[in-house]
Amino acid sequence: MTAPISERLADVEQARESGRRKMDWAAQHMPICDALASEFEAEQPFEGERIGMAMHVEAKTAILAEILAAGGAEVAITGCNPLSTHDDVSAALDAVDGVTSYAERGVDDEAYYAAIEAVIDHEPTITVDDGMDLVAAIHEDYPELIDTIVGGAEETTTGVHRLRAMDEDGQLDYPVFAVNDTPMKRLFDNVHGTGESSLASIAMTTNLSWAGKTVVVAGYGHCGKGVAKKASGQNADVVVTEVEPRRALEAHMEGYDVLPMAEAAAEGDVFITTTGNRDVIVEEHFERMQDGVLLANAGHFDVEIDLDALSDLAVDSYEARDGVQAYEMADGRRLNVLAEGRLVNLATPIALGHPVEVMDQSFGIQAVVVRELVENGDAYEAGVHDVPDRLDKEVAEIKLDAEGVEFDGLTETQAEYMDSWQHGT
Amino acid sequence: MTAPISERLADVEQARESGRRKMDWAAQHMPICDALASEFEAEQPFEGERIGMAMHVEAKTAILAEILAAGGAEVAITGCNPLSTHDDVSAALDAVDGVTSYAERGVDDEAYYAAIEAVIDHEPTITVDDGMDLVAAIHEDYPELIDTIVGGAEETTTGVHRLRAMDEDGQLDYPVFAVNDTPMKRLFDNVHGTGESSLASIAMTTNLSWAGKTVVVAGYGHCGKGVAKKASGQNADVVVTEVEPRRALEAHMEGYDVLPMAEAAAEGDVFITTTGNRDVIVEEHFERMQDGVLLANAGHFDVEIDLDALSDLAVDSYEARDGVQAYEMADGRRLNVLAEGRLVNLATPIALGHPVEVMDQSFGIQAVVVRELVENGDAYEAGVHDVPDRLDKEVAEIKLDAEGVEFDGLTETQAEYMDSWQHGT
Amino acid sequence: MTAPISERLADVEQARESGRRKMDWAAQHMPICDALASEFEAEQPFEGERIGMAMHVEAKTAILAEILAAGGAEVAITGCNPLSTHDDVSAALDAVDGVTSYAERGVDDEAYYAAIEAVIDHEPTITVDDGMDLVAAIHEDYPELIDTIVGGAEETTTGVHRLRAMDEDGQLDYPVFAVNDTPMKRLFDNVHGTGESSLASIAMTTNLSWAGKTVVVAGYGHCGKGVAKKASGQNADVVVTEVEPRRALEAHMEGYDVLPMAEAAAEGDVFITTTGNRDVIVEEHFERMQDGVLLANAGHFDVEIDLDALSDLAVDSYEARDGVQAYEMADGRRLNVLAEGRLVNLATPIALGHPVEVMDQSFGIQAVVVRELVENGDAYEAGVHDVPDRLDKEVAEIKLDAEGVEFDGLTETQAEYMDSWQHGT
Amino acid sequence: MTAPISERLADVEQARESGRRKMDWAAQHMPICDALASEFEAEQPFEGERIGMAMHVEAKTAILAEILAAGGAEVAITGCNPLSTHDDVSAALDAVDGVTSYAERGVDDEAYYAAIEAVIDHEPTITVDDGMDLVAAIHEDYPELIDTIVGGAEETTTGVHRLRAMDEDGQLDYPVFAVNDTPMKRLFDNVHGTGESSLASIAMTTNLSWAGKTVVVAGYGHCGKGVAKKASGQNADVVVTEVEPRRALEAHMEGYDVLPMAEAAAEGDVFITTTGNRDVIVEEHFERMQDGVLLANAGHFDVEIDLDALSDLAVDSYEARDGVQAYEMADGRRLNVLAEGRLVNLATPIALGHPVEVMDQSFGIQAVVVRELVENGDAYEAGVHDVPDRLDKEVAEIKLDAEGVEFDGLTETQAEYMDSWQHGT
């Protein structure tokens, strides 16, 4: 039987202190979770609930677990990836009243799944997933628990994708909220979070400057818009590539150059892919690039830059800096790939993932979704559900309030006017 | 019986020359219509069709009529507002092969409706409206024509709104496309068109500068985003007011100050309303404003600024400049209202409405929608229809092509990848 | 003998009312002059002085004359260009206590110079010029007055240039301040004033949009920087041409494309010259331009675009719109020149010149310079003088104060620290 | 006698390989030095010269040493700070033909000065300093060398400051160029280099986001303008504090809020000092700050934030993250100081100093200044000299050329026109 992390670490006191400090830093910059913590402490909405979580156990997620526990829940948590756990945070979290943490960094497959089972052993009434590990394990191995489960919440694109497939096959037996798909997450995560953290990671990994650089942004969806806007805000000359004509036109009307990648390849100093598609930068593009270019991916998977083709073209390849692999072409040009083509804001040696504030927004939605399940769980049938708009709005309001931003309400006359207008007379 | 404009003007030759010159200027900056003109001339898609139009007869609209005629249609057109007709353009249009124009500026109600009847007398097979005058007249007075009508297109928010009401009541007897609602129109008209033309109209009406001014933008929808972005791009310090928390948060995260109007009122130098709602700036706000502020409306109707209340508060009121009415308060403060609170990019003495390029996009959609009716009219039932996405995309592609902007296509592998991803496995 | 304007106008009462209204509008947006007016009224610094002015007699200048009179001066004013006078403003100004205005629009050369003589007849002790007409006339024809003249102030680049030439030749017999050369004027006039008013004039003259346009800015000095920044702020894609490598590099590092004009000519949609040099756009460039381009000048003289060469190339030329002359090439391309190549923010039919706030800054310096002459005139020898830095700063402080902007002062410790640092130990 | 680094390292081969890789990365992004390397290799301008250098021995500086050696010089180099040397780079540099490197990290004072003497032992004909260590040591201890020294170059503000003091006292016996003061250095280093690297360092040290943050920038000189512009480009809401009214007005007209620090203190989320002065943020400001604020310095010395006062106010202080010291106030607020108030782009654990391209510009000037001394050294008297404008321009031209940016030249007619204009007729 897997024991909580606290029973496994050599110097648990020191780990707890270090983990607590990380959590404190995060909490200090998570105003939404902070406000919800106050509400939850006062109202104890989760009294009697058991919440099972499988998420990246680092400082920001730990705050989510902590505020759920503060609301009266018994929380059991483990990692959703054996490499993303911070043992010190796991230990600090395990020391929080009402929380048991099983997450440990670097465990093997067997131990990883044993920890998931340890969480399930708590017989959760609510699941919170980042990649649907809990939902999958429960449906496969513990179907008897489903009757007492109120519902779940899923953080990621991939998890939601897989859940929808289950749902379509009639295999999803309790309601799960698609936290990933909310406006609050898409507009802010993608535009500001991805944009800022990708650029900062690139700058600090390479010691290079943006001013006067030609930055080619592949894809002009939310992520691409964020990267383009932030790069332009550092005085880069932005080139956009797109496959959808209206997005291409949007980029053109914004004042950016729009080019096919085959032409952009010859002009760019830095290339950042954000398409969510594969094979965005391939052999014919590598062949036209200038010496010294940087290639980075800010899209979800590491398939946007065709590294196999690049390897084949290269006569030599070596680590040019930490987090930068240089591929030397036969003609002497060096193409520099960051973070092996994986998410550049997450996978360079110094990368820290999304900014704290962005995760605060995402976890704020997680928290109110869990509260919704407790309060109105009966209203939701088994299957994938969009987060109700009012909850998304509520989190926006909490954030505005926490930042001291006031805004207007509709008067009765105005509400009527809008109503009459939208619904006809 | 109403005669074409050419038979009514004193110096028709001179009018035609002047009107033609205006049309040439517009055409020179309408690349989408220009490209469609070439296609239509070559393929004659409208051979045998009679197109009835009731729109503002000025240079830009005239180009739409002209390219429809170039495609083989017999076009009959009149105004949709007696004050918006340019007689010279009407005359020049009437001289175009295949076009008869009945529009004349300043006619009385009787003559206005007689001109609409003159258009209907051509027994149109397709109607193109700006405010649904033709659709209404045909349904009320010429129902016998409906059988031979393939369909219609409507340009405006108001027209679409009224058509949807008719449709809901089961009173709309042929298909009409809601051109107003397309992405191409909303994204570009509203963000770039309204933003740029409102600011230029304000600057040239007042001889004032933006740099260092506090500009309060009421509403952060598409129009508000455009106005805020363009004002910020002129080095104004932008304050946003909103009633929807996520939009308020979007504005805050963009770096703008977000305030309730009651506070913004005391800080602003210029106020621009874009909410589409009423009573956005009212008595309590007027009372807090500084001496010399400018008040302008870029939303649809003149109800956003409560001019009645302002009049009541004022001890004096006079025209401070052409297009600027000053209201003097008892304490000596002067609040300056532009264009009587009507659309500031249309209603100041020097205002020109939307930029030519924006109308090119809108009329490009009109033109392909008319072509769609000819080619696939049978596929559409009576009622209001969204413009098919492929047509919206087509216009984007034509524009990009006309501007010499190339962009990428999906490879087969990429299309499969996206497909597999979006629809599950 | 030339009589004041009031004695020459038919309906002087109506003119005065109209002119007064224009002056009120200007005054409302001239916080610096407004603040100085209060100071001058209270302290009467100009008691006993006679101030002769030759400037554009329109609303903004009238405010300068008015506040000098409010400070106790006897002011006599006439125009510095027969076409720039607003008769109504001239009449309203003539009605101000202590001011006599001789300016009248459209007078012939004889009457123009007679009006200057009428001003000189007041035996001014201080001269305020826009083009050095008064200085020149006094030195040539009334040298006997020079003994009692304390000094003068000159507004323009051209005037200062000519005064410096006089000075070098030992021909300038009293001190004149080069108001044109102050930091306050160069930084704000040129960057914000020229940039904003040029773009607004172009937009409202052509009914065209900036978004997505390629705007070629010739010259990257203060004016060019302003035009580029403001155009970029309207979502244009800016291309800069330069002859000085560091400015070219500045533009490149800002994120703009930098190209030789020969290449930029083929890419631009709009061309705006700001170089202060001649022959910036010439035959070889016209030959490469696209159909429909706009050509405008925001530099001082109309020699930047070679209109003679353009005329020679053209097979036809006609007024395409008010303020726009189209030149048609043999291959059908139409190149559109705005305002005949003269200052586009001043010379299109709807142009209004610099924004009011910009002139407020400029005239604020004029006013404190006149006060300086009264207070410390003895300290200045005959010749051209830079405006003392402390006066330039004072005007900045007045503006900040008037706008309610507070800022920090140096503590004693800080002042010592800076001092020790700058002067060595 | 101090031996070259190669004779002191344990595994010199491995060190050389590692150092060479770092140098290659830098060289790949130093187009100016790369272009000069080609010129120097071809023309051997430094044949017969001995160049002594005391600079930070890391990758970027190593490239400067290498290209001087490539031009025929015998180069001897040591560090200008015992903690900034990278031993691997020192070893790789020592392996370069014509270069001897004595720099070693972490040596004690005695060894540090012995290394400087080792450099002087080469009897340099030219000195290149970063902090004037060589100039000082030669003047004090080896005055007999001065006769054969052609001249020197100094990189830093502090060094130039001290040299000017020596010069004023008549104690500087050979010409030294103030490389620090060139336009190329001030405009680009400060605006783009400091701005970008400070923000990236803060973001990656804290894992926080800029969007929606209120960023208080103290000082609006070149550095402050850069920080403000770049922060605004990441969607921060920028507040500027200033003591000079024209700079305050510039910031206000740019659209930023301008406030006294006493008010800004209560509004800011992040504070970045760039004033070059002391005591910019002091006790009264700490008292008003919100919980969780970040305090960082991007000015030269660590005296801008009064850490002593902060320590006195704090009831607790601890390392909140690597590079972040939290000071806890009695009321629970936590103020977070980055990098102990030292240069935030240099002194956080992950900071990398100025971007490579910025140092390329600076070292490009160093290189042409050394060439100037060889070619025209006789023309310069003993004392501090500004870098001749033509050299500054030359480096701008080299950079533009290396980046493939072409720009215009003046025609003869244009040159004459400008000349006539500037010098009068």
Side-chain angles (χ1 to χ4, degrees), chain C residues 157-158 161 168 183-184 187-188 192 229 241-246 248-250 252-254 258-261 263 276-280 301 303 361 389 392-393 396-397 399-400 403 405-410 414 417-418 420-421 423-424, chain D residues 157-158 161 168 183-184 187-188 192 229 241-246 248-250 252-254 258-261 263 276-280 301 303 361 389 392-393 396-397 399-400 403 405-410 414 417-418 420-421 423-424:
Chain C
T157 308
T158 327
H161 181 61
E168 274 170 30
M184 282 290 285
L187 282 171
F188 302 104
H192 296 293
K229 175 206 284 264
T241 73
E242 245 301 338
V243 297
E244 212 279 342
R246 285 170 302 191
L249 187 54
E250 266 192 283
H252 171 70
M253 299 287 271
E254 193 71 22
V258 176
L259 292 176
M261 185 56 85
E263 283 180 42
N277 207 326
R278 57 178 296 168
D279 302 331
V280 176
F301 295 115
V303 297
Q361 232 159 276
D389 217 43
D392 200 55
K393 275 191 191 178
E397 283 173 1
K399 166 100 177 178
L400 289 165
E403 304 239 320
V405 178
E406 289 177 78
F407 64 103
D408 283 315
L410 284 179
Q414 286 180 318
Y417 181 84
M418 289 314 277
S420 74
W421 175 251
H423 301 297
Chain D
T157 308
T158 327
H161 182 61
E168 275 170 29
M184 281 289 285
L187 282 171
F188 302 102
H192 297 291
K229 175 205 282 265
T241 74
E242 245 302 337
V243 296
E244 211 280 341
R246 285 171 301 191
L249 188 53
E250 266 192 283
H252 170 70
M253 298 288 269
E254 193 72 22
V258 175
L259 293 175
M261 184 57 84
E263 283 181 42
N277 207 326
R278 57 179 296 168
D279 302 331
V280 176
F301 295 115
V303 297
Q361 234 160 272
D389 217 42
D392 201 54
K393 274 191 193 178
E397 283 174 1
K399 167 101 175 176
L400 288 165
E403 304 239 321
V405 178
E406 288 177 77
F407 64 104
D408 283 316
L410 285 178
Q414 288 181 315
Y417 181 84
M418 291 312 280
S420 73
W421 176 251
H423 300 298

Side-chain angles (χ1 to χ4, degrees), chain C residues 71-358:
Chain C
E74 178 191 330
V75 175
I77 186 169
T78 185
C80 61
N81 179 316
L83 291 177
S84 65
T85 297
H86 290 218
D87 285 349
D88 54 354
V89 172
S90 185
L93 191 50
D94 192 53
V96 169
D97 262 10
V99 181
T100 313
S101 175
Y102 299 95
E104 185 176 0
R105 182 183 172 80
V107 295
D108 61 18
D109 260 29
E110 193 182 341
Y112 178 74
Y113 287 106
I116 288 177
E117 282 177 31
V119 167
I120 294 173
D121 246 27
H122 287 251
E123 300 191 354
T125 56
I126 290 169
T127 58
V128 178
D129 260 319
D130 183 308
M132 70 162 279
D133 275 345
L134 285 178
V135 170
I138 287 167
H139 278 73
E140 277 163 37
D141 302 326
Y142 303 86
E144 69 278 11
L145 293 180
I146 288 173
D147 259 10
T148 54
I149 291 181
V150 190
E154 168 59 44
E155 174 77 10
T156 61
T157 308
T158 327
V160 168
H161 181 61
R162 288 168 61 197
L163 285 168
R164 288 200 196 278
M166 268 181 84
D167 193 9
E168 274 170 30
D169 291 351
Q171 305 293 323
L172 184 59
D173 294 331
Y174 63 81
V176 182
F177 283 114
V179 170
N180 179 70
D181 295 355
T182 60
M184 282 290 285
K185 186 158 192 298
R186 271 180 298 124
L187 282 171
F188 302 104
D189 259 51
N190 293 344
V191 176
H192 296 293
T194 301
E196 290 187 25
S197 58
S198 298
L199 294 195
S201 175
I202 294 172
M204 296 301 289
T205 298
T206 62
N207 196 20
L208 297 178
S209 161
W210 296 105
K213 287 282 192 311
T214 298
V215 175
V216 177
V217 180
Y220 200 65
H222 285 300
C223 281
K225 280 173 187 167
V227 171
K229 175 206 284 264
K230 305 280 175 174
S232 181
Q234 300 294 294
N235 301 104
D237 188 12
V238 170
V239 171
V240 170
T241 73
E242 245 301 338
V243 297
E244 212 279 342
R246 285 170 302 191
R247 287 181 171 179
L249 187 54
E250 266 192 283
H252 171 70
M253 299 287 271
E254 193 71 22
Y256 300 131
D257 282 328
V258 176
L259 292 176
M261 185 56 85
E263 283 180 42
E267 300 205 356
D269 296 305
V270 185
F271 297 79
I272 306 175
T273 53
T274 72
T275 67
N277 207 326
R278 57 178 296 168
D279 302 331
V280 176
I281 304 185
V282 297
E283 185 174 345
E284 62 160 325
H285 308 134
F286 299 134
E287 282 169 351
R288 297 174 181 212
M289 288 178 179
Q290 304 174 65
D291 180 36
V293 296
L294 306 181
L295 303 171
N297 172 39
H300 205 68
F301 295 115
D302 60 354
V303 297
E304 307 217 1
I305 303 168
D306 185 354
L307 290 184
D308 290 341
L310 184 55
S311 269
D312 290 348
L313 278 178
V315 295
D316 190 14
S317 175
Y318 55 89
E319 188 176 56
R321 287 174 73 89
D322 282 3
V324 182
Q325 188 72 12
Y327 292 84
E328 199 172 316
M329 303 289 106
D331 57 8
R333 289 175 304 125
R334 289 153 296 182
L335 314 189
N336 302 296
V337 176
L338 277 72
E340 302 166 30
R342 293 183 294 141
L343 276 172
V344 75
N345 69 340
L346 203 65
T348 63
I350 56 158
L352 301 162
H354 271 313
V356 176
E357 300 91 338
V358 160

Side-chain angles (χ1 to χ4, degrees), chain B residues 202-249:
Chain B
I202 293 172
M204 295 302 289
T205 298
T206 62
N207 196 19
L208 297 178
S209 161
W210 296 105
K213 286 282 190 314
T214 298
V215 175
V216 177
V217 181
Y220 200 63
H222 285 299
C223 282
K225 280 173 187 169
V227 170
K229 175 207 282 266
K230 305 281 175 173
S232 181
Q234 299 295 295
N235 301 105
D237 188 11
V238 171
V239 171
V240 170
T241 74
E242 244 303 336
V243 296
E244 212 280 342
R246 284 169 303 191
R247 285 181 173 179
L249 187 53

Side-chain angles (χ1 to χ4, degrees), chain B residues 20 44 67 76 111 113 133 135 150 167 207 216 257-258 322 363 383:
Chain B
R20 188 69 242 173
Q44 296 291 305
I67 70 173
Y113 286 107
D133 276 345
V135 170
V150 191
D167 193 10
N207 196 19
V216 177
D257 282 329
V258 175
D322 281 2
F363 291 153

